[in-house]
Amino acid sequence: MPRHFRNIIYYSEDWTVMEGALLKATRKLHKAQGLEDSDRLARRVMTLFNEGLRDAEIIARAAANQEMLIGKVASLRSSARYPNA
């Protein structure tokens, strides 16, 4: 069955790990997150948890690193000069 159709049940301990990871990831990014960025970061934390990671520090580090990469790619795209544009 495709992953996005699977029902996932989280226990209170799972939510505690994901919440801790989200808070740590937000601190690691050292910036105020907008609503869209916070939502994306939360989904990233949940995805990493669903992939089997259970250590809040490792999840936070991975999520923050992925968000920084997304920011760099977006910055490069917006500053790129396209010929004939």
Side-chain angles (χ1 to χ4, degrees), residues 28-29 31 61 63-73:
K28 286 180 186 302
L29 292 172
K31 62 179 182 179
R61 191 176 308 132
N65 286 339
Q66 290 174 13
E67 284 296 308
M68 285 187 277
L69 287 173
I70 288 170
K72 288 178 184 177
V73 168

Side-chain angles (χ1 to χ4, degrees), residues 28-56:
K28 286 180 186 302
L29 292 172
H30 298 294
K31 62 179 182 179
Q33 298 289 312
L35 183 59
E36 180 181 325
D37 292 340
S38 294
D39 183 55
R40 187 177 61 224
L41 183 60
R43 284 182 283 135
R44 187 164 313 285
V45 165
M46 290 179 80
T47 298
L48 292 166
F49 186 89
N50 292 342
E51 290 175 353
L53 295 177
R54 294 297 182 264
D55 184 293

Side-chain angles (χ1 to χ4, degrees), residues 3-41:
R3 185 175 201 113
H4 59 280
F5 291 118
R6 235 178 24 183
N7 289 332
I8 299 175
I9 298 172
Y10 297 113
Y11 298 100
S12 62
E13 297 85 11
D14 299 338
W15 286 112
T16 301
V17 170
M18 289 187 282
E19 180 182 30
L22 180 59
L23 293 172
K24 288 178 183 196
T26 301
R27 277 188 241 122
K28 286 180 186 302
L29 292 172
H30 298 294
K31 62 179 182 179
Q33 298 289 312
L35 183 59
E36 180 181 325
D37 292 340
S38 294
D39 183 55
R40 187 177 61 224
L41 183 60

